[in-house]
Amino acid sequence: MVGVPHSTGCLTCIQRRVKCDQGRPECRRCSDRNVKCPGYQRRLKFYHQTPASIRSRKQKDSPYVASSSAVQALIPRASMDGKLAPGLASTATDTQIKEVFQYFVMVSFPGLFSAWRNRVQLNWLDFVQHHLDTSSQALIWSLRSLSVWHLGRAHNDQEKILASRHLYGRGLQHLIRSLRNPRTATSNWTLMAAIHLGIYEMVDGLGEKSWLIHSRGIGRLFQIRGPEAHRDGFGRTLLVAYRSFLVADAFICQEPCFLAEHEWRAIAYETLASERRAGKSCQLSELVELAFNEIVLCPGLFAQTRDLVSQTGGMSEILRESLVAQITRSRDRLVELERQMGPLIIKYNNKKVIKWEEDAKSPIPTEFARKVAKFASHGARSAIAILSQLLVLIEADKNRSCLDTKSQCPSSIWKLPAGSMAPESQEKPLIAYDAHEDDSPDRLDQLALSMGMLAIRT
């Protein structure tokens, strides 16, 4: 009970914070000091505030935090029972945060969430609503940063956006602590917090490509955890939520993506078989999975072509033919998968079409299937264009080698390719996609549904 002393000594010794011998009728310390001993009867005194809440109020009166109403409203105050159980104010605040975060997901990632919410064992919002570990401060603060940012963006409130940056900084500090702790470094909560903060970098990063630095760390966490941690359960949810951004990261950095390794690609085929057995599969979901498993190879094929063609001594015929075979095989598979997506796009584009029986049972809701099919097809076509261009470059290098006129390849050739495979398109400036240049609310959703291929822009 607040206000009840824990010590059994006299009130004078308690106030002086010295040990009382509890002598009767008066203690020895009071007798030696020639003061009247008040005795040992407890006095109850109730407070409307605790030292923790007073400190919290003083912190909010600081110049930086006081300027932001969002921080005052959404950072919970310490309460009288804060050390024993979640305080009422903190619980109410975190409940509100969860609700706001749900709106953030459905505005920023409606297609990605809807494409997977019925297929994974535990989807993102269900995890936040019912399985959130409040002991993970990194996760709590990462949720707060995105939720406050969403409120600021929705209401064009710069104070809330400024406050979200403060919350992001707090989340980053806690994430660093979690990563330094061997018990929490590879947990689902730590990876989830890292993904939240990585998404924050995409929507409100400090630098043009600052999200890439954060994405490097997220990719490393996936690798340390290994494929087995992402075959099912919430680990699977974490993987499908961020894997497209890992492909985009690899393309922009012009290096192979670790998801192209056999152990990671095998997960997709196992998932397809599992979804069929569980009745959670449909034609669109299967086509997207198979297309992703080919697209994830593209960054590595791009890097191999660049390295081999750039060799001053020329590549060996064996390496060249092997690379051509890999590129051709992957391109042909994507061509076939994109061809099968065509009828689905036509079907979902027809707004007057009545929901078919299989649509009602489909794991991807009909209202979102059109968007999923559209951007998956876009991703497949972009990958086909890139692979076709790589074949053109390899053939050109071979011809130069035969004429013995090969010169150092200009660096402009290795700027990220996209769009037309016509020779003149190679001379146009090509840049990597900047997450901040597109102002549409669902720009990251489009990038995710394109399987990372929207990262390549002309």
Side-chain angles (χ1 to χ4, degrees):
M1 181 181 293
V2 175
V4 179
H6 294 287
S7 173
T8 57
C10 74
L11 295 181
T12 299
C13 290
I14 291 175
Q15 291 174 356
R16 294 182 61 219
R17 297 184 179 180
V18 296
K19 185 175 182 180
C20 180
D21 63 356
Q22 302 182 39
R24 306 284 178 170
E26 59 181 21
C27 73
R28 182 175 178 179
R29 288 188 181 276
C30 290
S31 176
D32 291 344
R33 295 180 63 240
N34 260 343
V35 297
K36 184 178 179 180
C37 182
Y40 307 100
Q41 183 178 2
R42 291 187 177 187
R43 297 177 182 178
L44 305 181
K45 187 175 182 180
F46 294 88
Y47 295 90
H48 293 294
Q49 292 179 321
T50 64
S53 66
I54 294 173
R55 286 195 301 272
S56 175
R57 189 183 65 221
K58 288 181 179 180
Q59 290 175 356
K60 292 195 296 177
D61 289 338
S62 66
Y64 178 78
V65 180
S67 66
S68 172
S69 60
V71 173
Q72 295 175 2
L74 291 168
I75 298 181
R77 300 177 183 178
S79 57
M80 64 178 63
D81 57 349
K83 293 184 178 180
L84 302 177
L88 295 178
S90 178
T91 301
T93 299
D94 286 337
T95 299
Q96 184 183 28
I97 286 294
K98 293 177 183 179
E99 294 177 356
V100 176
F101 182 75
Q102 180 174 352
Y103 286 110
F104 166 77
V105 170
M106 294 312 299
V107 169
S108 302
F109 297 96
L112 180 64
F113 175 75
S114 299
W116 285 98
R117 69 183 182 188
N118 298 325
R119 297 162 58 193
V120 294
Q121 296 174 349
L122 182 61
N123 70 53
W124 206 275
L125 290 184
D126 283 347
F127 184 90
V128 170
Q129 289 288 346
H130 307 295
H131 302 274
L132 187 64
D133 184 358
T134 55
S135 68
S136 175
Q137 290 298 301
L139 184 52
I140 294 298
W141 287 97
S142 69
L143 283 169
R144 291 172 180 170
S145 65
L146 286 175
S147 300
V148 174
W149 178 88
H150 174 71
L151 288 175
R153 174 66 182 268
H155 300 285
N156 196 25
D157 188 334
Q158 291 301 316
E159 285 191 354
K160 284 186 174 61
I161 292 177
L162 180 63
S164 73
R165 294 171 185 167
H166 168 78
L167 301 176
Y168 165 80
R170 294 284 295 272
L172 199 59
Q173 292 174 358
H174 285 292
L175 177 61
I176 293 172
R177 295 191 186 102
S178 297
L179 292 172
R180 289 175 176 172
N181 185 343
R183 293 182 299 175
T184 60
T186 58
S187 69
N188 285 339
W189 301 282
T190 298
L191 180 54
M192 189 179 189
I195 290 175
H196 285 163
L197 297 175
I199 292 173
Y200 185 92
E201 280 285 355
M202 297 179 200
V203 298
D204 192 39
L206 298 178
E208 182 183 356
K209 298 291 187 300
S210 59
W211 72 274
L212 286 173
I213 300 174
H214 202 105
S215 187
R216 301 272 93 180
I218 294 174
R220 185 58 183 156
L221 267 180
F222 274 109
Q223 290 176 278
I224 293 174
R225 286 162 55 94
E228 291 298 326
H230 303 93
R231 292 186 183 277
D232 50 27
F234 192 66
R236 173 68 177 162
T237 306
L238 292 168
L239 177 61
V240 298
Y242 199 77
R243 62 181 185 176
S244 293
F245 299 103
L246 296 172
V247 174
D249 178 347
F251 257 123
I252 294 171
C253 296
Q254 302 186 23
E255 62 183 32
C257 181
F258 69 89
L259 295 177
E261 297 171 5
H262 173 74
E263 294 80 4
W264 291 95
R265 295 184 73 222
I267 294 177
Y269 298 116
E270 294 172 8
T271 301
L272 286 175
S274 176
E275 287 183 354
R276 292 191 192 107
R277 291 192 298 269
K280 296 182 177 181
S281 179
C282 66
Q283 185 181 10
L284 178 58
S285 65
E286 293 196 8
L287 290 175
V288 171
E289 281 302 286
L290 294 173
F292 180 86
N293 244 19
E294 298 302 325
I295 286 176
V296 77
L297 299 172
C298 292
L301 295 173
F302 178 87
Q304 289 182 59
T305 303
R306 177 202 59 204
D307 294 341
L308 292 174
V309 172
S310 299
Q311 293 176 4
T312 56
M315 71 173 76
S316 70
E317 191 62 27
I318 296 177
L319 291 177
R320 179 186 288 113
E321 293 303 321
S322 174
L323 182 56
V324 168
Q326 293 178 58
I327 295 173
T328 303
R329 182 169 56 249
S330 187
R331 184 195 62 177
D332 291 347
R333 288 175 180 170
L334 283 170
V335 168
E336 175 59 22
L337 293 170
E338 200 276 332
R339 184 191 65 79
Q340 295 180 44
M341 290 181 192
L344 294 179
I345 296 175
I346 296 174
K347 168 187 168 182
Y348 292 121
N349 277 343
N350 187 356
K351 297 181 180 179
K352 297 181 181 180
V353 69
I354 300 176
K355 292 183 179 180
W356 297 355
E357 183 179 353
E358 61 265 28
D359 291 337
K361 300 178 181 178
S362 174
I364 303 178
T366 305
E367 59 267 31
F368 294 101
R370 176 177 175 270
K371 183 177 184 180
V372 173
K374 173 185 174 182
F375 285 99
S377 178
H378 176 93
R381 290 197 306 273
S382 296
I384 292 168
I386 289 175
L387 296 175
S388 298
Q389 191 175 19
L390 293 181
L391 292 174
V392 171
L393 290 171
I394 293 174
E395 183 64 25
D397 175 77
K398 180 179 179 180
N399 293 336
R400 285 195 299 269
S401 299
C402 292
L403 296 173
D404 197 25
T405 58
K406 181 175 179 178
S407 59
Q408 186 71 23
C409 292
S411 60
S412 60
I413 291 179
W414 297 111
K415 292 182 179 179
L416 295 174
S420 172
M421 55 180 286
E424 58 270 16
S425 67
Q426 297 177 11
E427 302 301 326
K428 296 180 181 179
L430 301 160
I431 60 174
Y433 174 69
D434 178 8
H436 309 301
E437 67 180 9
D438 185 353
D439 200 40
S440 57
D442 67 338
R443 62 192 184 277
L444 296 181
D445 192 39
Q446 297 176 19
L447 175 59
L449 293 178
S450 73
M451 296 168 278
M453 296 310 299
L454 276 180
I456 313 306
R457 302 288 295 273
T458 55

